[in-house]
Amino acid sequence: ADLALYESKKRGKGCTTLFQEEMDHRYQRRQRLTKDIKQAILEAKLNVVYQPIIDAATMQIVSCEALARWDHPEFGPISPGVFIPLAEETGAISDLTRFMLASACRDCLSWGNNVSVSVNLSAVDFRMSNVSAMVRSALTDSGLAARRLEVEVTEGAILEDQLATSAVLTELRKHGVK
């Protein structure tokens, strides 16, 4: 009954929904993914893939964007559009960000001195974590020069708390992070 109620609420006012078995299957899968994403992050079972960024003038790779991918042992590949919001909702996003920063900084070391790496930060990271400390820790642990790391921030992070986000980004910039 609860699942049908929430389905009706999603559709808007004046809607009724009859419970269907598929609703329970979706709910059970979501619950399982919520539990499993936390474990996958803790056990470093996610993959980091890199999307090259090419300088159009020289046709050289100048940077790579680090992207998280998750191949669930039972359900197969799970879209970042599914697992990243789950990580944000459950508070596991900061662990995911730490994993991504550490992996990206470590991997970037092997690309030569002219290639940098870009890592996305979630708006939730700015609320729940010391982003500056996470970034500095990843740089220190890997030995990567700060000038070779770029952080990307969602519009949501800036809109949620412009002053706090700006202060963190200014601090990172002072340390050489782009």
Side-chain angles (χ1 to χ4, degrees), residues 126 155-170:
F126 285 88
E155 297 82 12
I158 295 168
L159 292 174
E160 278 187 26
D161 191 344
Q162 188 174 8
L163 291 175
T165 303
S166 179
V168 170
L169 294 177
T170 298

Side-chain angles (χ1 to χ4, degrees), residues 82-106:
V82 171
F83 75 81
I84 290 175
L86 287 176
E88 288 177 332
E89 290 169 22
T90 61
I93 192 68
S94 293
D95 291 331
L96 175 57
T97 299
R98 271 188 276 287
F99 168 78
M100 292 299 293
L101 282 166
S103 299
C105 289
R106 185 185 59 245

Side-chain angles (χ1 to χ4, degrees), residues 12-115:
K13 292 185 178 190
C15 292
T16 57
T17 304
L18 294 175
F19 174 79
Q20 296 176 354
E21 193 80 22
E22 178 59 28
M23 291 176 187
D24 187 50
H25 292 299
R26 283 194 313 262
Y27 174 77
Q28 295 298 330
R29 178 184 161 111
R30 181 175 167 78
Q31 292 303 104
R32 172 82 185 276
L33 290 176
T34 298
K35 176 179 117 333
D36 289 354
I37 188 63
K38 289 179 182 180
Q39 200 62 34
I41 293 168
L42 290 174
E43 295 175 2
K45 300 273 184 177
L46 299 173
N47 299 310
V48 182
V49 298
Y50 296 95
Q51 179 174 324
I53 300 168
I54 308 217
D55 181 330
T58 65
M59 297 306 290
Q60 298 292 314
I61 296 174
V62 293
S63 186
C64 292
E65 181 178 6
L67 303 168
R69 295 295 181 259
W70 184 26
D71 194 20
H72 190 278
E74 183 179 335
F75 302 125
I78 306 296
S79 166
V82 171
F83 75 81
I84 290 175
L86 287 176
E88 288 177 332
E89 290 169 22
T90 61
I93 192 68
S94 293
D95 291 331
L96 175 57
T97 299
R98 271 188 276 287
F99 168 78
M100 292 299 293
L101 282 166
S103 299
C105 289
R106 185 185 59 245
D107 292 348
C108 184
L109 282 174
S110 67
W111 300 341
N113 288 329
N114 296 328
V115 180

Side-chain angles (χ1 to χ4, degrees), residues 121-174:
L121 301 178
S122 165
V124 177
D125 286 324
F126 285 88
R127 281 195 315 264
M128 298 179 66
S129 298
N130 184 338
V131 172
S132 250
M134 278 198 299
V135 170
R136 286 192 316 271
S137 177
L139 290 170
T140 300
D141 293 349
S142 68
L144 184 71
R147 66 175 173 73
R148 294 183 60 196
L149 177 63
E150 179 177 316
V151 294
E152 294 187 19
V153 182
T154 62
E155 297 82 12
I158 295 168
L159 292 174
E160 278 187 26
D161 191 344
Q162 188 174 8
L163 291 175
T165 303
S166 179
V168 170
L169 294 177
T170 298
E171 182 182 343
L172 291 174
R173 219 175 293 122
K174 283 180 186 175

